[in-house]
Amino acid sequence: MGEEKDLLSSLLLELRRGTLAISVLSQMKEPKYGYALVQSLEEKGITIDPNTLYPLLRRLESQGLLESKWETGGAKPRKYYQRTEYGTEIYKQMKTYWENLSAGMRRLLGEEET
């Protein structure tokens, strides 16, 4: 029983990791700082730990999909991230791929019900 639970946890984690990049990119049309992004995703049913989010933001930035700038005018400095033009192009392609994949998965999983 314990091994089955570990396997399921591992498979679910793998599935989730594959969706986080598109989830984050979907929310980055306008500049957001990390905590605001966590809240925005949670409002839409996607929970992400800050220890997962910040490395992902840095990776997406290093890949040219996001850009960042520091805002120092408030009570404490905040780093804001926003999609680049390239990031928007990649996001649109990922979104199309996701929609096609989701439709195929719905058909596949629906076969079980017939």
Side-chain angles (χ1 to χ4, degrees), residues 35-81:
Y35 183 70
L37 180 57
V38 168
Q39 288 181 313
S40 176
L41 289 167
E42 283 184 357
E43 288 171 3
K44 294 167 178 78
I46 305 295
T47 303
I48 186 166
D49 186 272
N51 293 326
T52 301
L53 176 65
Y54 289 105
L56 177 58
L57 289 172
R58 288 190 295 273
R59 181 171 57 85
L60 294 174
E61 184 176 23
S62 73
Q63 293 169 330
L65 303 176
L66 297 178
E67 59 189 3
S68 67
K69 67 177 176 180
W70 283 96
E71 182 65 47
T72 56
K76 62 180 183 177
R78 288 188 173 140
K79 191 173 189 179
Y80 283 80
Y81 292 87

Side-chain angles (χ1 to χ4, degrees), residues 83-101:
R83 270 192 331 239
T84 61
E85 191 174 310
Y86 177 60
T88 298
E89 290 174 27
I90 294 296
Y91 166 66
K92 286 178 181 177
Q93 291 176 38
M94 289 176 76
K95 182 179 173 186
T96 298
Y97 181 84
W98 177 262
E99 289 167 345
N100 291 333
L101 181 63

Side-chain angles (χ1 to χ4, degrees), residues 20-28 37 41 53 56-57 60:
L20 290 178
I22 191 171
S23 299
V24 167
L25 287 173
S26 76
Q27 300 301 295
M28 303 308 292
L37 180 57
L41 289 167
L53 176 65
L56 177 58
L57 289 172
L60 294 174

Side-chain angles (χ1 to χ4, degrees), residues 101-114:
L101 181 63
S102 295
M105 289 302 298
R106 277 191 300 277
R107 285 190 297 274
L108 267 175
L109 298 176
E111 288 178 357
E112 294 178 350
E113 297 170 5
T114 57

